[in-house]
Amino acid sequence: MGLKRIGRLVSTLRYLTAEQVIYRLYYRARSLRVVPVNEATPRSSIRWASPGFIQPSTTDGIEFSFLGAKGRIDDSDWNATQYSKLWLYNLHYLDDLNAVGIDEQNVLARALVNRWIEANPPPSGNGWEPYPLSLRIVNLVKWFARQEALERHWLASLATQMQALAKQVEYHILGNHLFANAKALVFGGSYLAGPDADRWLANGLKILDREVKEQFLEDGAHFELSPMYHATLLWDMCDLVNLAERVDLPELKVRLPRWRATVVQGLRWLRSIQHPDGGVPFFNDAAFGIAPTLSDLEVYASRLKGCLPFPDVGEGSFDARYHAQSGYASIDLGAGNKALLDLARVGPDYQPGHAHADTLSFELSLFGQRIFVNSGTSQYGDDAERHRQRSTSAHNTVEVDGESSSEVWSGFRVARRAYPVLELFDDQSDKVLIRARHTGYLRLKGKVLHRREWSFESGHIQVLDKVEGEHGVAVARLYVHPDIRFTQEQGRFIARLGGEGCVTVEFKGGESSRLVRSTWHPEFGASIENQCIESIFRNGALVTHIYWSASV
């Protein structure tokens, strides 16, 4: 291993907590032993009901479609190596048990449960790892709680899976993985009867008491700062509220006020940072088709007591909001014109696995259409494309000397990282001025500092980029939504939006500007051709003007 790689590894490890290090060493040193449970009984009668958002992945229980890829699974193929780890994880979640329309496909659902149990004895295989265990346990409990009759081996398998999960709670990872573990312990412990179930429930609640407070920030955002994962964890919170309302357990009832408040705050934050089309921006790991939409979450929250916030009403011509704890800002300019700004850290220092090097990037919708978008996420893993999608060069911000603002590496690692500083947030009735800087390039030889200033007025955004310190080439990029086409005309870039209007981009102070071909990744497994507007500057400053006007 070279000195550079050693330094990067050391820079990554120094952010880990003692808890993560201890449990990582412990889990590596011991082997997992699971004794199959022969008998288990439900604690009480629970009738589960909730809206759904997941679409079915199979119609026959043999051929499945996940992440844009299809696969055929025979009984011996549940861990087939020709499929990616993430694809196999999705297979083992058994999300289809709660997919839209599954209650009219009971024969298929029963076959899925039986096939999984028969083909996956404990404790080896992807299905017995703690994260897929957690998601599958919750899916099983929800599905069991809608059945008129249960088979004994189903309950025995559920208890065996709970035993396996309890022995490998992901304290070495923390973050959303630990939250999913805790949720599964609470669901399984609330559903099953007996002293083991009591212990699982108590442990799950103990973890949740810590993690709800830790993972949901005061402004409502989930602390990993991925809008996609925020929506996923918010659905988890709705599930917990739903469970507490349906189960007669005092230890759940007493937590309802805190859980409901978390849902309300989380919905407010998600509403603020949505594009006018109702979808999330692509900051950090984010893609469509994985998490529930804001609309899905509002439907769920409306069926729970005290979980749906009142509509927020802004003041003045513009509605500018800065979410101080998460670091995101939304500037609603009215008439379907909205900018979303990433002034955020990469995530919690000890778990930045879903972070991209996108500090001081932004996205923009005009006339209700996405115009400028970050590149998105089409895959996990550890290859060149995953690295590119996480890099600064794949986002609407400034890259200096070919380096990313944060040292993203491997599939989910970050070494030295950018820390943003908000210098000014001036919200006037008809103008908004925002200035921020980040420290990510101070690690470069020239001690480079990137400062960006946005000025918002009606029909016009000015972006001023200053790169201070010794450096070579700086590149500012604007990735264009694939439905929009720009042309270069007399030094300007112009897009005509059919009957809606016109958008013009003009650079001042740059050395050269051009349109280049690129790709956008709105879903896992998806790659769509789009454009990118690049402007190169060496003198330390670049001014970008974005104008728009409605068609007359």
Side-chain angles (χ1 to χ4, degrees):
M1 182 181 292
L3 290 177
K4 183 176 181 180
R5 293 182 65 187
I6 292 173
R8 188 174 61 185
L9 180 61
V10 170
S11 295
T12 302
L13 294 177
R14 72 185 183 90
Y15 291 100
L16 298 181
T17 67
E19 181 180 40
Q20 286 174 298
V21 174
I22 291 168
Y23 272 96
R24 189 172 294 274
L25 294 173
Y26 169 66
Y27 285 148
R28 285 190 176 186
R30 66 94 209 240
S31 58
L32 177 64
R33 295 185 61 191
V34 178
V35 179
V37 176
N38 295 320
E39 193 75 31
T41 57
R43 182 186 295 267
S44 61
S45 177
I46 304 174
R47 296 300 297 177
W48 182 262
S50 67
F53 72 92
I54 296 173
Q55 295 301 312
S57 68
T58 182
T59 58
D60 59 6
I62 302 295
E63 187 172 81
F64 295 83
S65 178
F66 301 114
L67 310 174
K70 290 184 178 181
R72 187 175 179 85
I73 301 299
D74 296 323
D75 287 342
S76 61
D77 290 339
W78 285 77
N79 296 287
T81 57
Q82 68 262 36
Y83 305 115
S84 72
K85 182 81 166 180
L86 186 59
W87 196 95
L88 291 171
Y89 263 28
N90 276 266
L91 175 69
H92 285 274
Y93 296 159
L94 296 189
D95 279 340
D96 277 75
L97 296 180
N98 294 286
V100 175
I102 192 61
D103 287 340
E104 287 72 52
Q105 299 287 329
N106 198 253
V107 172
L108 173 61
R110 292 172 68 94
L112 280 174
V113 173
N114 287 326
R115 282 194 68 214
W116 188 90
I117 293 172
E118 292 167 6
N120 293 278
S124 62
N126 291 285
W128 290 95
E129 295 180 22
Y131 190 71
L133 263 174
S134 297
L135 272 61
R136 185 176 59 255
I137 285 168
V138 173
N139 280 324
L140 287 169
V141 169
K142 289 180 180 179
W143 186 74
F144 289 171
R146 299 198 309 274
Q147 305 309 302
E148 296 298 329
L150 300 172
E151 297 185 21
R152 292 175 60 186
H153 74 284
W154 293 348
L155 296 172
S157 176
L158 176 62
T160 303
Q161 293 176 57
M162 289 291 292
Q163 179 195 145
L165 174 60
K167 291 183 176 183
Q168 47 181 337
V169 174
E170 294 174 279
Y171 294 111
H172 60 303
I173 295 179
L174 301 177
N176 73 83
H177 277 236
L178 181 59
F179 197 100
N181 302 159
K183 177 187 174 185
L185 290 171
V186 169
F187 262 72
S190 298
Y191 184 75
L192 294 174
D196 285 341
D198 291 341
R199 285 192 294 271
W200 297 329
L201 174 59
N203 190 32
L205 289 173
K206 180 181 178 181
I207 296 170
L208 284 177
D209 287 345
R210 183 182 86 168
E211 294 303 314
V212 169
K213 182 179 180 180
E214 170 79 357
Q215 296 197 29
F216 285 93
L217 305 175
E218 289 183 22
D219 60 17
H222 183 255
F223 78 154
E224 292 187 44
L225 304 179
S226 155
M228 179 180 77
Y229 278 93
H230 172 88
T232 298
L233 272 290
L234 204 53
W235 189 273
D236 288 339
M237 289 303 309
C238 288
D239 273 348
L240 290 167
V241 171
N242 196 0
L243 180 70
E245 289 180 353
R246 292 177 178 276
V247 179
D248 188 21
L249 288 173
E251 54 266 61
L252 296 185
K253 304 292 186 189
V254 73
R255 290 168 169 83
L256 269 172
R258 177 60 183 269
W259 291 354
R260 286 170 173 153
T262 301
V263 172
V264 169
Q265 281 294 93
L267 279 173
R268 285 182 177 143
W269 184 86
L270 192 57
R271 283 177 177 175
S272 175
I273 67 157
Q274 294 296 284
H275 276 281
D277 63 12
V280 295
F282 289 174
F283 297 128
N284 295 318
D285 278 342
F288 300 143
I290 301 297
T293 64
L294 174 63
S295 177
D296 294 328
L297 286 159
E298 288 181 333
V299 168
Y300 200 170
S302 70
R303 300 186 186 184
L304 306 171
K305 297 178 182 178
C307 285
L308 190 63
F310 293 109
D312 293 324
V313 179
E315 298 180 359
S317 303
F318 300 159
D319 183 7
R321 300 175 186 232
Y322 173 60
H323 302 286
Q325 288 74 41
S326 60
Y328 288 110
S330 65
I331 316 298
D332 193 333
L333 305 169
N337 305 317
K338 189 173 184 179
L340 300 168
L341 280 56
D342 182 354
L343 313 172
R345 297 162 60 129
V346 299
D349 278 341
Y350 61 81
Q351 182 45 276
H354 293 292
H356 289 200
D358 57 2
T359 307
L360 302 190
S361 69
F362 73 104
E363 296 197 348
L364 178 67
S365 282
L366 297 174
F367 311 108
Q369 302 178 62
R370 295 189 190 219
I371 305 296
F372 299 122
V373 292
N374 287 320
S375 293
T377 304
S378 68
Q379 64 184 73
Y380 287 162
D382 183 14
D383 63 9
E385 180 60 15
R386 169 67 171 161
H387 299 165
R388 186 193 70 81
Q389 290 177 18
R390 296 182 75 204
S391 71
T392 296
S393 64
H395 299 86
N396 297 327
T397 186
V398 173
E399 177 191 41
V400 176
D401 291 338
E403 296 283 346
S404 286
S405 56
S406 293
E407 286 185 299
V408 290
W409 65 284
S410 188
F412 302 96
R413 301 285 183 262
V414 185
R416 291 172 291 182
R417 67 275 315 254
Y419 288 96
V421 178
L422 180 67
E423 297 179 344
L424 177 68
F425 195 99
D426 185 12
D427 178 14
Q428 303 174 19
S429 61
D430 57 355
K431 183 176 181 178
V432 179
L433 184 63
I434 301 170
R435 185 185 307 123
R437 67 180 188 273
H438 76 76
T439 64
Y441 294 128
L442 290 178
R443 72 178 192 273
L444 302 183
K445 185 177 181 180
K447 301 295 183 182
V448 176
L449 185 72
H450 175 212
R451 180 177 279 112
R452 172 167 272 194
E453 179 180 286
W454 293 266
S455 177
F456 297 90
E457 298 179 273
S458 181
H460 176 223
I461 299 172
Q462 176 182 289
V463 183
L464 170 61
D465 286 302
K466 292 184 178 179
V467 179
E468 303 166 2
E470 294 184 12
H471 68 281
V473 176
V475 183
R477 294 182 175 88
L478 292 172
Y479 283 91
V480 181
H481 189 278
D483 289 346
I484 309 300
R485 303 298 295 177
F486 277 86
T487 58
Q488 190 167 1
E489 303 175 18
Q490 298 180 340
R492 299 182 300 171
F493 300 88
I494 300 173
R496 295 171 177 84
L497 310 180
E500 295 294 337
C502 179
V503 182
T504 300
V505 176
E506 187 174 7
F507 297 101
K508 300 291 186 181
E511 180 178 294
S512 62
S513 302
R514 60 175 184 166
L515 278 170
V516 298
R517 295 176 62 181
S518 186
T519 50
W520 187 51
H521 309 278
E523 298 178 356
F524 276 81
S527 181
I528 302 173
E529 287 192 5
N530 70 334
Q531 297 176 311
C532 177
I533 306 174
E534 289 186 347
S535 185
I536 296 173
F537 60 108
R538 299 174 188 266
N539 64 358
L542 175 72
V543 180
T544 305
H545 293 281
I546 303 171
Y547 303 96
W548 66 93
S549 59
S551 298
V552 178

